């Protein structure tokens, strides 16, 4: 989720660890189980204490709920948030509670951070277990996890004003967590651009042309305008992962503002790498030795090259319109940078990742490595085909989408501050962040607490009757007299704040009905 500057800031009272229950079970080998720990410069005794407590909580809760993995333990001073990323591989976030009113967060929002970290990591590097099987000492997976997560938590950069998807968390040495101010956002979903019929037909035509440029090789695509999804031919999980990465690092708002080229990238390596390396070195020599941050440069030399796809300012627009990067290092036996690759969740197939950009239009194209003859040379041929045969189509699509684009407040609805989530399609839409900031602190805290209650009800319903989704409606009058409302039905959720509503519940109910009928096709209407 996008994080504002006023979000919860956690310094010393925050730990984030990943460990493997199959490792370190013998005396003297306890460190083997630690795959990642933040802050890495904590004494190993402290790290083992945190992980040992987590193991104990996991084992204890299995006695009462053997079928349901532990999700959260609330202690007097800390919240322990769990995510079983893979069999016997756990991710745990420990957050210290505070009496400060700003230190209010939803547990589900924190768990979604853990899920996002793992999903993105697997997309680039494969599963944690596969890396452990490949190199059982753990040095390989530790070096990859350390570089990846530190880049994920890297220094905050100003995002698009309408970005409601994702952001960075680390500001200096302080972690910024999703707080009550993010209660009208939903991580793990995509935000769609609404297009008219004529524009939709143009996009479909463009997708067909792109597929034809690949010849006999399959071609998967995502089309984005600004930071919004227009079209996808991928599975829902793969769409979310690539959409998230695009908003973080590939979309126009995520790239450097100044014009760049491949020659500039080659010249700028030294300065950018010094800046990036400072993050990796911040945890001291102990972490470097144990977590194996062996090589952070794009050219590994004698040491293994750790691919760091979440580095800032490492993608640039080439002269042919395709984005280029040296993150994946040079092609074997060449000084030319290798084409990026990702692993699809649905097919578990490694794909070439090619990104084309024209103004506000971004095309993400994926081609199976096994289907491209001659590797890098074959990808160059496909790119040339796209430039020659699809350029005019792309210009036309960008022009049509730009004409229909209403700007950063395109989805603002006067009088409402809302979040609409379609869980079946993994799509969300919300009031623009600039409009949400007009809400009072009391309204946001009330909605955050309400969403926490909805999360608990959904969790209970999932285990009580997994085949039946429970419809819920809750309306609360906040201390500042605002109406805070939640409705869930048939996989869809609507959260709303009405600060200028009439005093009666009937007025608030009527306002929801009008919103539902006009913007949700009546999905939340009570008739």
């Amino acid at each position: 989720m996008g994080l504002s500057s006023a979000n919860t800031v956690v310094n010393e009272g925050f730990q984030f660890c990943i460990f493997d229950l199959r490792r370190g079970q013998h005396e003297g080998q306890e460190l083997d189980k630690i795959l990642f720990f933040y802050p890495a410069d904590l004494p190993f005794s402290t790290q083992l204490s945190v992980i040992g407590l987590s193991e104990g909580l996991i084992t204890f809760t299995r006695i009462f709920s053997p079928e349901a993995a532990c999700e959260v333990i609330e202690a007097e001073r800390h919240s322990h948030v769990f995510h079983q990323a893979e069999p016997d591989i756990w991710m745990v976030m420990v957050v210290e509670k505070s009496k400060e009113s700003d230190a209010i967060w939803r547990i589900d929002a924190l768990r979604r951070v853990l899920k996002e970290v793992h999903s993105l990591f697997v997309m680039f590097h494969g599963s944690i277990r596969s890396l452990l099987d490949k190199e059982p000492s753990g040095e390989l997976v530790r070096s990859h996890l350390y570089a990846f997560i530190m880049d994920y938590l890297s220094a905050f950069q100003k995002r698009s004003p309408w970005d409601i998807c994702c952001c960075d968390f680390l500001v200096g040495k302080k972690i910024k967590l999703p707080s009550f101010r993010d209660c009208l956002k939903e991580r793990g979903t995509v935000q769609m651009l609404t297009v008219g019929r004529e524009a939709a037909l143009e996009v479909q035509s463009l997708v067909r042309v792109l597929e034809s440029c690949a010849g006999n090789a399959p071609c998967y695509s995502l089309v984005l305008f600004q930071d919004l999804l227009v079209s996808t031919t991928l599975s829902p999980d793969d769409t979310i992962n690539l959409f998230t990465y695009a908003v973080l690092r590939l979309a126009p708002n995520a790239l450097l503002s100044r014009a760049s080229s491949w020659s500039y990238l080659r010249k700028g390596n030294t300065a950018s790498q010094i800046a990036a390396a400072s993050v990796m070195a911040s945890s001291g020599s102990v972490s470097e030795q144990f977590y194996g941050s062996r090589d952070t440069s794009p050219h590994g030399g004698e040491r293994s090259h750790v691919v760091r796809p979440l580095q800032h300012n490492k993608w640039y627009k080439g002269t042919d319109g395709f984005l280029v990067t040296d993150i994946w290092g040079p092609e074997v036996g060449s000084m030319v940078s290798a084409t990026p690759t990702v692993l699809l969740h649905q097919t578990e197939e490694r794909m070439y990742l090619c990104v084309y950009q024209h103004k506000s239009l971004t095309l993400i194209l994926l081609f199976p490595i096994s289907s491209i003859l001659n590797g890098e040379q074959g990808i160059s041929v496909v790119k040339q085909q796209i430039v020659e045969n699809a350029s005019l189509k792309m210009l036309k699509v960008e022009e049509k989408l730009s004409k229909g684009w209403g700007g950063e407040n395109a989805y603002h609805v006067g009088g409402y501050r809302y979040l609409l989530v379609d869980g079946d399609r993994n799509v969300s839409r919300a009031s623009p962040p600039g409009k949400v900031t007009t809400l009072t602190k009391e309204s946001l805290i009330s909605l955050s607490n309400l969403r926490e209650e909805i999360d608990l009800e959904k969790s209970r319903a999932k285990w009580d009757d997994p085949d039946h989704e429970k419809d819920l409606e809750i309306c609360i009058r906040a201390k500042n007299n605002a109406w805070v409302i939640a409705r869930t039905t048939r996989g869809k959720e609507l959260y709303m704040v009405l600060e200028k509503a009439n005093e009666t519940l009937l007025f608030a109910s009527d306002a929801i009905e009008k919103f539902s009928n006009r913007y949700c096709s009546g999905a939340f209407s009570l008739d």
Side-chain angles (χ1 to χ4, degrees):
M1 311 287 286
L3 306 179
S4 66
S5 58
N7 283 0
T8 305
V9 177
V10 184
N11 191 3
E12 296 178 357
F14 173 84
Q15 290 94 38
F16 176 14
C17 59
I18 302 175
F19 56 91
D20 182 3
L21 290 179
R22 300 179 190 177
R23 301 168 62 89
Q25 297 303 312
H26 301 290
E27 186 175 354
Q29 299 177 357
E30 291 84 359
L31 286 179
D32 288 348
K33 71 180 64 177
I34 307 177
L35 304 180
F36 174 83
F37 199 99
Y38 178 89
D41 55 357
L42 287 180
F44 284 128
S45 58
T46 303
Q47 297 184 30
L48 288 173
S49 176
V50 172
I51 290 176
L53 176 60
S54 298
E55 283 188 276
L57 293 172
I58 291 168
T59 302
F60 178 73
T61 55
R62 279 177 174 169
I63 298 174
F64 304 97
S65 183
E67 301 300 324
C70 180
E71 295 184 352
V72 60
I73 296 292
E74 294 287 3
E76 181 179 358
R77 296 179 56 190
H78 295 85
S79 295
H80 300 253
V81 185
F82 298 81
H83 173 52
Q84 187 174 9
E86 300 173 23
D88 291 325
I89 292 178
W90 286 80
M91 306 174 73
V92 180
M93 185 184 294
V94 182
V95 186
E96 185 177 16
K97 295 179 180 179
S98 171
K99 294 182 180 180
E100 296 179 8
S101 59
D102 276 0
I104 299 174
W105 50 74
R106 286 174 42 239
I107 296 302
D108 184 67
L110 300 183
R111 292 192 76 240
R112 285 175 177 270
V113 171
L114 299 179
K115 292 177 181 178
E116 182 174 276
V117 170
H118 180 256
S119 295
L120 291 176
F121 181 85
V122 172
M123 180 174 72
F124 291 109
H125 299 299
S127 69
I128 294 174
R129 181 65 64 196
S130 67
L131 291 175
L132 286 170
D133 292 341
K134 182 178 179 181
E135 202 276 298
S137 74
E139 182 182 359
L140 179 67
V141 72
R142 287 190 188 100
S143 62
H144 282 73
L145 283 170
Y146 183 74
F148 187 87
I149 297 176
M150 292 306 295
D151 284 336
Y152 182 85
L153 301 175
S154 60
F156 179 85
Q157 290 192 342
K158 185 177 180 181
R159 302 293 301 133
S160 159
W162 56 85
D163 170 21
I164 59 174
C165 167
C166 27
C167 199
D168 303 308
F169 297 84
L170 187 62
V171 182
K173 293 185 178 181
K174 296 183 178 181
I175 294 292
K176 299 176 67 174
L177 296 177
S179 75
F180 67 90
R181 300 186 188 278
D182 301 292
C183 59
L184 286 176
K185 302 173 184 177
E186 188 75 352
R187 187 181 299 274
T189 60
V190 300
Q191 291 74 57
M192 299 285 297
L193 177 70
T194 301
V195 298
R197 182 176 181 275
E198 186 177 349
L201 291 175
E202 288 291 345
V203 172
Q204 291 178 3
S205 177
L206 171 60
V207 170
R208 288 194 295 267
V209 171
L210 293 171
E211 291 173 346
S212 68
C213 292
N216 295 326
C219 172
Y220 302 93
S221 65
L222 271 78
V223 180
L224 286 81
F225 182 82
Q226 299 285 359
D227 289 346
L228 301 173
L229 182 66
V230 179
S231 168
T232 178
T233 60
L234 289 166
S235 69
D237 287 337
D238 290 317
T239 295
I240 290 172
N241 291 339
L242 281 162
F243 175 84
T244 301
Y245 184 60
V247 174
L248 280 171
R249 297 294 182 261
L250 303 178
N253 295 303
L255 296 180
L256 290 174
S257 59
R258 62 181 181 271
S260 303
S261 65
W262 178 240
S263 61
Y264 174 82
L265 175 65
R266 296 281 297 276
K267 295 176 182 177
N269 277 342
T270 303
S272 63
Q273 279 307 127
I274 290 174
S278 65
V279 175
M280 301 296 295
S282 62
S283 297
S285 59
V286 174
S287 66
E288 289 177 1
Q289 293 171 11
F290 183 70
Y291 292 104
S293 53
R294 299 164 295 171
D295 176 40
T296 60
S297 67
H299 308 294
E302 297 179 357
R303 296 177 293 177
S304 175
H305 169 50
V306 177
V307 174
R308 297 173 55 195
L310 292 183
Q311 289 183 91
H312 282 284
N313 303 334
K314 296 296 288 183
W315 285 87
Y316 302 82
K317 188 173 181 180
T319 56
D320 59 356
F322 280 96
L323 301 189
V324 292
T325 181
D326 65 350
I327 289 175
W328 273 256
E331 181 186 355
V332 177
S334 171
M335 292 299 293
V336 178
S337 290
T339 300
T341 62
V342 296
L343 184 70
L344 289 187
H345 173 81
Q346 184 178 44
T347 63
E348 296 185 349
E349 188 172 13
R350 180 65 63 175
M351 314 288 286
Y352 284 117
L353 170 66
C354 301
V355 185
Y356 185 94
Q357 200 166 90
H358 173 66
K359 294 183 178 179
S360 299
L361 184 71
T362 302
L363 305 179
I364 299 177
L365 308 173
L366 303 175
F367 308 97
I369 290 179
S370 59
S371 300
I372 300 296
L373 300 177
N374 301 322
E376 296 290 341
Q377 183 178 353
I379 279 293
S380 297
V381 172
V382 172
K383 288 182 176 180
Q384 184 62 33
Q385 289 291 317
I386 292 172
V387 171
E388 293 177 357
N389 300 313
S391 293
L392 292 179
K393 278 282 185 185
M394 290 186 279
L395 266 63
K396 190 173 183 180
V397 167
E398 201 281 336
E399 182 180 355
K400 282 191 173 295
L401 295 179
S402 294
K403 287 183 178 179
W405 170 234
E408 61 186 73
N409 291 324
Y411 299 118
H412 171 59
V413 179
Y416 296 87
R417 300 297 183 267
Y418 70 93
L419 168 65
L420 176 63
V421 180
D422 187 337
D424 295 333
R425 298 171 56 222
N426 297 314
V427 173
S428 67
R429 176 167 294 171
S431 293
K435 298 296 182 180
V436 174
T437 58
T438 64
L439 291 175
T440 64
K441 184 176 181 179
E442 291 76 12
S443 296
L444 292 170
I445 290 177
S446 296
L447 181 58
S448 180
N449 292 335
L450 176 57
R451 291 203 63 186
E452 189 75 64
E453 290 298 320
I454 294 293
D455 292 338
L456 291 173
E457 286 297 325
K458 286 162 54 182
S459 180
R460 294 190 191 105
K462 180 176 67 174
W463 297 113
D464 292 342
D465 188 358
D467 297 325
H468 177 71
E469 294 183 357
K470 190 175 181 179
D471 290 352
L472 297 170
E473 179 183 13
I474 303 177
C475 296
I476 297 176
R477 196 68 184 265
K479 293 181 179 179
N480 62 337
N481 289 327
W483 284 106
V484 180
I485 304 159
R487 282 189 185 180
T488 69
T489 179
R490 296 184 296 275
K492 296 180 174 62
E493 304 171 33
L494 176 63
Y495 302 97
M496 187 175 292
V497 177
L498 303 173
E499 283 195 333
K500 298 180 180 180
N502 189 283
E503 292 184 358
T504 66
L505 178 60
L506 180 61
F507 181 92
S509 181
D510 287 343
I512 299 173
E513 290 292 317
K514 292 178 181 178
F515 184 92
S516 174
N517 292 330
R518 183 170 182 180
Y519 301 103
C520 309
S521 302
F524 298 94
S525 298
L526 299 179
D527 297 337

